[in-house]
Amino acid sequence: MDRTDPEGAIAEAAKRYSNWGRWGDDDVLGTLNFLDDTKRAEAAGLVRRGTAFSLAQSFDADGPQRGWRRRTNPVHTMLDTGLDAERGQGFPHGLGGADDVIFMPLQASTQWDGLGHIFDHGRAWNGRRAGDVVTSEGDRVTGIETTGARLAGRGVLLDVGRAIGVDGELPDGFAITTEHIEATVAAQGDSARVGRGDLVCVRTGRLSRARREGWGDYAGGPSPGLSFTTAGWLHGSEIAGIATDTWGFEVRPNEFDDAFQPLHQIAIPHIGLFIGELWDLDALAADCAADGRYDFWLTAVPLPVTGAVGAPVHPIAVK
Amino acid sequence: MDRTDPEGAIAEAAKRYSNWGRWGDDDVLGTLNFLDDTKRAEAAGLVRRGTAFSLAQSFDADGPQRGWRRRTNPVHTMLDTGLDAERGQGFPHGLGGADDVIFMPLQASTQWDGLGHIFDHGRAWNGRRAGDVVTSEGDRVTGIETTGARLAGRGVLLDVGRAIGVDGELPDGFAITTEHIEATVAAQGDSARVGRGDLVCVRTGRLSRARREGWGDYAGGPSPGLSFTTAGWLHGSEIAGIATDTWGFEVRPNEFDDAFQPLHQIAIPHIGLFIGELWDLDALAADCAADGRYDFWLTAVPLPVTGAVGAPVHPIAVK
Amino acid sequence: MDRTDPEGAIAEAAKRYSNWGRWGDDDVLGTLNFLDDTKRAEAAGLVRRGTAFSLAQSFDADGPQRGWRRRTNPVHTMLDTGLDAERGQGFPHGLGGADDVIFMPLQASTQWDGLGHIFDHGRAWNGRRAGDVVTSEGDRVTGIETTGARLAGRGVLLDVGRAIGVDGELPDGFAITTEHIEATVAAQGDSARVGRGDLVCVRTGRLSRARREGWGDYAGGPSPGLSFTTAGWLHGSEIAGIATDTWGFEVRPNEFDDAFQPLHQIAIPHIGLFIGELWDLDALAADCAADGRYDFWLTAVPLPVTGAVGAPVHPIAVK
Amino acid sequence: MDRTDPEGAIAEAAKRYSNWGRWGDDDVLGTLNFLDDTKRAEAAGLVRRGTAFSLAQSFDADGPQRGWRRRTNPVHTMLDTGLDAERGQGFPHGLGGADDVIFMPLQASTQWDGLGHIFDHGRAWNGRRAGDVVTSEGDRVTGIETTGARLAGRGVLLDVGRAIGVDGELPDGFAITTEHIEATVAAQGDSARVGRGDLVCVRTGRLSRARREGWGDYAGGPSPGLSFTTAGWLHGSEIAGIATDTWGFEVRPNEFDDAFQPLHQIAIPHIGLFIGELWDLDALAADCAADGRYDFWLTAVPLPVTGAVGAPVHPIAVK
């Protein structure tokens, strides 16, 4: 890989790994096409104990956002409170109520990138013009609501932090390659095999560190993450989605001298892949390490905000 | 029931159906205590075809809210669009991006009421003082995030609209009684039996009508819904949660001369019950009517907004 | 005027009344160039009694907005309240505090349209491409903050409602022509003469009616307002700004068969004129009618929201 | 002053400097009672050149807020842009438009504290119970809208930074005492005398430094500001309002070992004084230093957000 030529590398990867047209010109689902009812029915069979794990970070003002591109942390305010109720709110027969409101960037906390989130040279998923897809009215073609109920199926945890890292964590700037992925699968055993339609959760340990040391530059700063060179694996594995415990999915700093999130530029508009960010995989990872089973039933259906290019989600793994 | 005495009826029901102390003084989960791993594991066995159904209404500006108590519809705005990307956003190597933000009441669309949403004479769930629970900082005791990953389990659809109504819909002001519930279960057959830890979805047909005729007074106006007299069934059935396709769960107008949501006043602070509102049960109901199976695997985990007294959710049924 | 040809009428007016280039290619101020320090110093001499009049409508949830193009009324919520302070907020020595937050469209209530608010065939003020001026980052050229402290000077009230209407109000659909303006000036006398750099306030009485009858379709519905034919007067009078007590400044419905705010399309991008909407001129008008003086010192400097294409303002007249 | 006894010092000052009842039990205006039409008419006579100065900081995402008590910087987003207009928005005859929305804490940037902003031991201005004044519905008694058009009158700049500081700036932690105020008045000459009903602007130079060095801890960190010992002067001078170029008006850290904004606790609930924060006095100060005139016509009427306990303002000085 030539560090000085992101344009060239991106162009080549775009050519090799494009799924444009694979599911017809009107497709809005990308890799969700790999996740069908049959896969979903099989995945439900993974539930044994019935234990459910939340894979979400919290949604509140104490999050990692620092204002980059106007992304703040969620601001939750009350329209009515218990204090108001005690004082009297004008309702009959002693009824009292509390109510609330939120303002937040849709990618402030645990979320999926929609297919309208990233463009390559003005082109969105399936070759559409970016401006034909996402205007000030939102994503009118591939808005997150088009994913419907599909983001539920087999989840596989790849705990790269535990398999490859030190004390379960990869250092900042660590680029996870296909070899690292394969080594992790091998170390974890049969239940960690990745196949068509799977929803892959990659744990780097970056969040564990943020939890211990404070957010710092968690949002946008140095971080372990996927190498640009995994584009081929992301394409060839035919997975439906992939999520990490980091802000930006890819290794940071990126692997070119002057670059910004080049793997996104392949994965979203060309592969049509759903990328999850800011997930919390720690509790699930501890359980998987304990019982040796790395696959599970995963429901990770985003909030259906019409026209959203990204959307908050509370992913739930059940083993 | 004496229409002129909501205070008396509420006081009596509060006494009869209270779960205060049932799970200890520190309990924050209420009826979610009925939904354990064993129940969850059994429920996963209901998945057969792998077909997933979204039970959410959309989250956008075209919703039913009319400004009651400052509740607006969600306002979704863009921080960056495809049009900006085409024009150039200053990123390297042809990368472009879209990003977005939302402002919304947490109960603007499909949602769960948290246990801090409603109070009875200044008392919240488990007997706590309302003002000790919910301040301007939110619900510091029973905030929706305390439900974690628990709201996944066996769902049961009670399509009362189809079983009792005309053309699948109940008229406004129709109070669903325990007898109607039992008749619906009987009509629907074995798969519709309701038991401990279940998540019950009651379809009235009110949303079908709104879809056909426009929102009108959907938010707060006349509607079919549960009768105050079902308080005993809500308590005795030991269900974990119950949701409807209406704005307010209860029949509207309420069944007392001067009243406002009296059943909430029993169900939330006294029973500790999770109530879902503004759900869309139509697609699921059609499928259930077709195959005669009314139970399914339901994941309805709310967005974990710290301190929220209600929270948006994208409930997913899988059959 | 040919009701069937708005395109033709607009093209002709654009040609006749254009100020493009008048103040140089880099100009961002438009008609504010007419309002200089000398004019401002003269205007201060109009203060006699020292009585100040608010010309703002309120900013709250009870406003006229109905959701058109996602414009809601302002939503004001509290971060802390006096109830919290009574209960204890953790501050030392008995300090308590309340704090608050607002979400609002910048044109929800009393406001100025900025020069980036309206475009003619993709062209903004001074001939710039609309997309070179206003992106998702806001108006990067003529953002409302560029007006600085300039919007203070001589105000003149034209109470057309009182001069021409019945009981001080013009009916919906009443198009105020140049003749009506001149007749109003004549009826009001010398203090009502309009000249270069003035800030003209046109009262139609529409708000008085809304106050009496409720908002109804105040926001976007039928209304009295300026006729498209006043474009020449708006240009030739060399006023700095003009505001009305209506939602949309222009008569509604507009005067062409298929049209939307055609006078805006001339006034803002071609004349470079500042248009105020949703002002409350009633108290000031009563005073002017009483003392026969229709000019005053007016400070109407908008909130300097960086990049805003419109901005809230609390205009203050002092006589 | 005993650094270890803020309670005692506050109690004594509260007793000495209270204006409770001074203007009747129903009063909601506090020190605005000192600013009448006569004062206002005199002040207008200070306009000579007609030069207007903005005293506002900008309202945008690049402000000083760091999230303290959920206060973010303003987030301004677009509902429509020029790029959308170029692409076509569905309006007839070539009309295009841009529109926008803001979310912001009301005290995010240049603002007035309302009388409901601060309480002393649960008491608000004029002795009312804090919770009787400010609930989740806002300040229902002394909401900022009750100030109407009053905040316009004689402004006086006290450039303490220039008179007492080094290179026009006071260091962090510098407590401005009554002696410093008097020395500044003396140094500035006759036009700087302060009297009843005046709106006093105190420049510390803190903002000049932030402009040069970045925001750092501007919001809440160390800063020059008024000493607690000025409470007597604030009361006895009978000024209507006072504003500074700092985040918090008072010196920071505060002058007691364990304290938070003790002067606010006297000034707002007991004196009924209007305090302005986050003002930008630099351009005005340079002009005053140049011409030797420190008084001017000041219009500083806040945005009338119903029930607000603080409100944004664009203060305009005219000389």
Side-chain angles (χ1 to χ4, degrees):
Chain A
M1 211 167 69
D2 178 357
R3 286 192 62 86
T4 67
D5 186 23
E7 280 276 2
I10 288 165
E12 192 184 326
K15 201 167 131 194
R16 282 198 193 182
Y17 309 127
S18 170
N19 282 327
W20 289 6
R22 183 169 181 165
W23 298 285
D25 287 349
D26 294 338
D27 182 73
V28 296
L29 295 176
T31 55
L32 293 191
N33 284 290
F34 293 129
L35 177 45
D36 57 19
D37 285 5
T38 306
K39 294 277 179 201
R40 209 173 280 116
E42 285 171 18
L46 299 170
V47 174
R48 292 164 192 205
R49 284 175 283 146
T51 310
F53 298 87
S54 166
L55 309 187
Q57 296 186 21
S58 61
F59 285 72
D60 57 39
D62 298 324
Q65 305 298 333
R66 292 286 189 86
W68 180 76
R69 293 187 88 80
R70 285 176 285 166
R71 279 197 200 157
T72 63
N73 291 304
V75 181
H76 170 228
T77 60
M78 303 305 295
L79 295 165
D80 270 306
T81 69
L83 293 164
D84 295 275
E86 286 190 17
R87 198 69 152 234
Q89 296 167 306
F91 292 115
H93 51 72
L95 180 85
D99 208 357
D100 41 10
V101 117
I102 202 164
F103 175 81
M104 66 170 176
L106 289 172
Q107 306 195 11
S109 186
T110 307
Q111 116 277 348
W112 282 115
D113 291 348
L115 294 187
H117 178 46
I118 296 292
F119 314 109
D120 178 19
H121 291 86
R123 292 287 159 177
W125 162 242
N126 227 14
R128 299 180 184 97
R129 289 182 66 190
D132 287 347
V133 175
V134 187
T135 70
S136 290
E137 292 182 6
D139 184 333
R140 304 182 293 186
V141 180
T142 47
I144 204 75
E145 78 281 6
T146 59
T147 62
R150 287 179 186 80
L151 276 155
R154 178 173 180 255
V156 183
L157 176 72
L158 300 185
D159 191 345
V160 188
R162 205 164 303 224
I164 311 280
V166 175
D167 292 334
E169 298 177 16
L170 301 173
D172 288 341
F174 186 97
I176 300 172
T177 62
T178 304
E179 290 67 38
H180 294 130
I181 292 173
E182 288 170 350
T184 302
V185 171
Q188 294 184 170
D190 266 8
S191 70
R193 82 195 181 318
V194 173
R196 175 182 282 211
D198 285 345
L199 299 166
V200 178
C201 301
V202 176
R203 184 183 167 278
T204 68
R206 179 68 187 85
L207 178 63
S208 316
R209 182 144 51 87
R211 194 172 271 132
R212 199 171 59 240
E213 299 179 357
W215 288 118
D217 287 331
Y218 180 86
S223 174
L226 267 73
S227 168
F228 182 78
T229 60
T230 60
W233 183 85
L234 294 173
H235 176 260
S237 61
E238 300 191 338
I239 57 175
I242 182 166
T244 68
D245 59 348
T246 69
W247 170 82
F249 173 63
E250 310 184 36
V251 62
R252 300 272 304 161
N254 301 121
E255 298 155 288
F256 299 95
D257 292 341
D258 179 22
F260 189 73
Q261 302 294 76
L263 184 55
H264 275 71
Q265 199 168 333
I266 299 304
I268 296 178
H270 291 287
I271 304 182
L273 181 65
F274 282 78
I275 295 177
E277 288 157 340
L278 296 160
W279 291 36
D280 180 356
L281 305 171
D282 286 356
L284 174 65
D287 188 85
C288 293
D291 76 356
R293 293 205 57 89
Y294 287 85
D295 58 351
F296 41 86
W297 167 252
L298 176 63
T299 307
V301 182
L303 204 68
V305 177
T306 308
V309 297
V313 60
H314 192 163
I316 300 297
V318 188
K319 291 180 71 173
Chain B
M1 211 167 68
D2 178 356
R3 286 193 61 87
T4 67
D5 186 22
E7 280 275 4
I10 288 165
E12 191 185 327
K15 199 166 132 194
R16 283 199 191 181
Y17 309 127
S18 171
N19 282 327
W20 289 5
R22 182 169 182 166
W23 299 285
D25 287 350
D26 294 337
D27 182 72
V28 297
L29 295 176
T31 55
L32 293 191
N33 284 290
F34 293 130
L35 177 45
D36 58 19
D37 285 5
T38 306
K39 293 277 179 203
R40 211 173 279 116
E42 285 170 18
L46 297 170
V47 175
R48 290 164 192 206
R49 283 176 283 145
T51 310
F53 298 86
S54 166
L55 309 187
Q57 295 187 21
S58 61
F59 285 71
D60 56 41
D62 298 323
Q65 305 298 333
R66 292 286 188 87
W68 180 77
R69 292 187 87 80
R70 287 176 284 165
R71 280 197 200 159
T72 63
N73 291 304
V75 181
H76 171 230
T77 60
M78 303 304 296
L79 295 165
D80 269 307
T81 68
L83 293 164
D84 295 276
E86 286 190 17
R87 198 68 152 235
Q89 295 166 307
F91 291 117
H93 52 71
L95 181 86
D99 209 356
D100 41 11
V101 116
I102 202 164
F103 174 80
M104 66 171 177
L106 289 172
Q107 306 194 13
S109 186
T110 307
Q111 117 276 350
W112 283 114
D113 290 349
L115 293 186
H117 177 47
I118 296 291
F119 315 109
D120 177 20
H121 291 85
R123 293 286 159 177
W125 162 242
N126 226 14
R128 300 181 182 97
R129 288 182 67 191
D132 288 347
V133 175
V134 187
T135 70
S136 290
E137 293 182 6
D139 184 333
R140 303 181 295 187
V141 179
T142 46
I144 204 76
E145 77 281 6
T146 59
T147 61
R150 286 179 187 80
L151 275 155
R154 178 175 180 254
V156 182
L157 176 73
L158 300 185
D159 192 346
V160 187
R162 205 165 301 224
I164 310 281
V166 175
D167 291 334
E169 298 176 16
L170 302 172
D172 289 341
F174 185 97
I176 300 172
T177 63
T178 303
E179 291 67 39
H180 294 130
I181 290 173
E182 289 170 348
T184 302
V185 171
Q188 294 184 170
D190 266 8
S191 69
R193 81 198 181 318
V194 173
R196 174 182 283 210
D198 285 345
L199 300 166
V200 177
C201 301
V202 176
R203 183 181 168 280
T204 69
R206 180 68 186 83
L207 178 63
S208 317
R209 182 145 51 88
R211 192 172 272 132
R212 198 171 60 242
E213 299 178 358
W215 289 117
D217 287 331
Y218 180 86
S223 175
L226 267 72
S227 168
F228 181 78
T229 60
T230 60
W233 182 86
L234 293 174
H235 175 260
S237 60
E238 300 191 337
I239 56 175
I242 183 167
T244 67
D245 58 348
T246 69
W247 170 82
F249 172 65
E250 311 184 34
V251 63
R252 301 271 304 162
N254 301 122
E255 298 155 288
F256 299 95
D257 292 343
D258 178 21
F260 189 74
Q261 302 294 75
L263 184 54
H264 275 70
Q265 199 169 333
I266 298 304
I268 295 178
H270 291 286
I271 304 182
L273 181 63
F274 283 77
I275 295 177
E277 288 157 341
L278 296 160
W279 291 34
D280 180 354
L281 304 171
D282 285 357
L284 174 65
D287 188 87
C288 293
D291 77 356
R293 294 206 56 90
Y294 287 85
D295 58 352
F296 40 86
W297 167 248
L298 176 63
T299 306
V301 182
L303 204 67
V305 176
T306 308
V309 298
V313 60
H314 191 163
I316 301 296
V318 188
K319 292 181 70 173
Chain C
M1 216 167 66
D2 178 355
R3 286 193 61 86
T4 67
D5 186 22
E7 279 276 3
I10 288 166
E12 190 183 328
K15 199 166 135 195
R16 283 199 192 182
Y17 308 129
S18 171
N19 282 327
W20 288 7
R22 182 170 181 164
W23 297 287
D25 288 349
D26 294 338
D27 183 72
V28 296
L29 296 176
T31 55
L32 293 190
N33 284 289
F34 293 130
L35 177 46
D36 58 19
D37 285 6
T38 307
K39 292 278 178 201
R40 210 174 278 116
E42 286 170 19
L46 297 170
V47 175
R48 290 162 193 207
R49 283 175 283 145
T51 310
F53 298 87
S54 166
L55 309 187
Q57 296 185 22
S58 60
F59 284 71
D60 56 39
D62 298 324
Q65 305 298 334
R66 292 286 188 87
W68 180 77
R69 293 187 88 79
R70 286 176 284 165
R71 280 196 201 159
T72 62
N73 291 305
V75 180
H76 171 228
T77 59
M78 303 305 294
L79 295 165
D80 270 307
T81 70
L83 292 164
D84 296 275
E86 287 190 16
R87 198 68 151 236
Q89 296 166 306
F91 292 116
H93 53 70
L95 180 86
D99 208 356
D100 42 10
V101 117
I102 201 165
F103 174 80
M104 67 171 174
L106 289 171
Q107 306 196 12
S109 184
T110 308
Q111 116 276 350
W112 282 114
D113 289 349
L115 294 187
H117 177 47
I118 296 291
F119 315 109
D120 177 18
H121 291 86
R123 293 287 159 178
W125 163 242
N126 227 13
R128 299 180 184 98
R129 289 182 66 189
D132 288 348
V133 175
V134 188
T135 70
S136 290
E137 293 182 4
D139 184 334
R140 303 181 295 186
V141 179
T142 48
I144 205 76
E145 77 282 6
T146 59
T147 62
R150 286 179 186 80
L151 275 156
R154 178 174 181 255
V156 183
L157 176 73
L158 300 185
D159 192 346
V160 187
R162 206 164 303 224
I164 310 282
V166 175
D167 292 334
E169 298 176 16
L170 301 173
D172 288 340
F174 186 97
I176 300 172
T177 63
T178 305
E179 292 66 40
H180 295 131
I181 291 174
E182 288 170 348
T184 301
V185 171
Q188 295 184 171
D190 268 8
S191 70
R193 80 196 181 324
V194 173
R196 174 183 284 211
D198 285 345
L199 299 166
V200 177
C201 301
V202 176
R203 184 183 168 279
T204 68
R206 180 67 186 85
L207 179 63
S208 316
R209 183 144 51 87
R211 194 172 270 132
R212 199 171 60 242
E213 299 179 357
W215 288 118
D217 287 331
Y218 181 86
S223 174
L226 268 72
S227 169
F228 181 78
T229 60
T230 60
W233 183 85
L234 293 174
H235 176 259
S237 60
E238 299 190 339
I239 57 175
I242 182 166
T244 68
D245 59 347
T246 68
W247 170 82
F249 173 65
E250 311 184 36
V251 62
R252 302 271 305 161
N254 301 122
E255 297 155 290
F256 299 95
D257 292 342
D258 178 21
F260 189 75
Q261 303 293 76
L263 185 53
H264 275 71
Q265 199 169 334
I266 299 303
I268 295 178
H270 290 287
I271 303 182
L273 181 64
F274 282 78
I275 295 177
E277 289 159 340
L278 295 161
W279 291 35
D280 180 355
L281 304 170
D282 285 356
L284 174 65
D287 188 86
C288 292
D291 78 356
R293 294 206 55 90
Y294 287 85
D295 57 352
F296 41 85
W297 167 252
L298 177 63
T299 306
V301 181
L303 203 68
V305 177
T306 308
V309 297
V313 59
H314 192 164
I316 301 296
V318 189
K319 294 180 71 173
Chain D
M1 214 167 68
D2 178 356
R3 287 193 60 86
T4 67
D5 186 22
E7 280 276 3
I10 287 165
E12 190 184 328
K15 198 167 134 193
R16 282 198 193 183
Y17 308 128
S18 169
N19 282 327
W20 289 5
R22 183 170 181 164
W23 298 285
D25 287 349
D26 294 337
D27 181 72
V28 297
L29 295 176
T31 55
L32 292 191
N33 284 290
F34 293 129
L35 176 46
D36 59 19
D37 285 6
T38 307
K39 293 277 178 202
R40 209 174 280 115
E42 285 170 19
L46 297 170
V47 175
R48 292 164 193 205
R49 285 177 282 145
T51 309
F53 298 87
S54 166
L55 309 186
Q57 295 186 22
S58 60
F59 284 72
D60 56 40
D62 298 324
Q65 305 298 334
R66 294 285 189 87
W68 180 77
R69 293 186 87 79
R70 285 176 284 165
R71 280 196 199 159
T72 62
N73 291 304
V75 180
H76 170 229
T77 60
M78 304 304 296
L79 295 166
D80 269 307
T81 69
L83 292 164
D84 295 276
E86 287 190 17
R87 198 69 152 235
Q89 296 167 305
F91 292 117
H93 53 70
L95 181 86
D99 208 357
D100 40 13
V101 118
I102 201 164
F103 174 81
M104 66 172 177
L106 288 172
Q107 306 196 13
S109 184
T110 307
Q111 116 276 351
W112 283 114
D113 289 349
L115 294 186
H117 177 48
I118 297 291
F119 315 108
D120 177 19
H121 291 86
R123 291 287 160 178
W125 163 242
N126 228 13
R128 299 180 183 97
R129 288 182 66 189
D132 287 347
V133 176
V134 187
T135 69
S136 290
E137 292 182 5
D139 184 334
R140 303 181 294 186
V141 179
T142 47
I144 204 75
E145 77 283 5
T146 59
T147 62
R150 287 178 185 81
L151 276 156
R154 179 174 179 256
V156 183
L157 176 73
L158 299 185
D159 192 345
V160 187
R162 205 165 303 225
I164 311 281
V166 176
D167 292 334
E169 298 176 16
L170 301 172
D172 288 341
F174 186 97
I176 300 172
T177 64
T178 304
E179 292 66 39
H180 294 131
I181 291 173
E182 289 170 348
T184 301
V185 171
Q188 294 184 172
D190 266 9
S191 69
R193 81 198 182 315
V194 172
R196 173 183 285 211
D198 285 345
L199 299 166
V200 178
C201 301
V202 176
R203 184 183 167 278
T204 68
R206 180 69 187 84
L207 179 63
S208 316
R209 182 143 52 87
R211 195 172 270 132
R212 200 170 58 241
E213 299 178 356
W215 288 118
D217 286 333
Y218 181 87
S223 174
L226 268 74
S227 168
F228 181 78
T229 61
T230 60
W233 182 85
L234 292 174
H235 176 259
S237 60
E238 299 190 339
I239 56 175
I242 182 166
T244 67
D245 58 347
T246 68
W247 169 81
F249 173 65
E250 310 185 34
V251 62
R252 301 270 305 161
N254 301 121
E255 298 155 287
F256 298 96
D257 292 342
D258 178 21
F260 189 74
Q261 303 294 76
L263 184 54
H264 274 71
Q265 200 170 333
I266 299 303
I268 295 178
H270 291 287
I271 304 182
L273 181 63
F274 282 78
I275 294 178
E277 289 158 339
L278 296 161
W279 291 34
D280 180 356
L281 304 170
D282 285 356
L284 175 65
D287 188 86
C288 292
D291 78 355
R293 293 206 58 89
Y294 287 84
D295 59 350
F296 41 86
W297 167 248
L298 177 63
T299 307
V301 182
L303 203 68
V305 177
T306 308
V309 298
V313 59
H314 192 163
I316 300 296
V318 188
K319 292 181 70 173

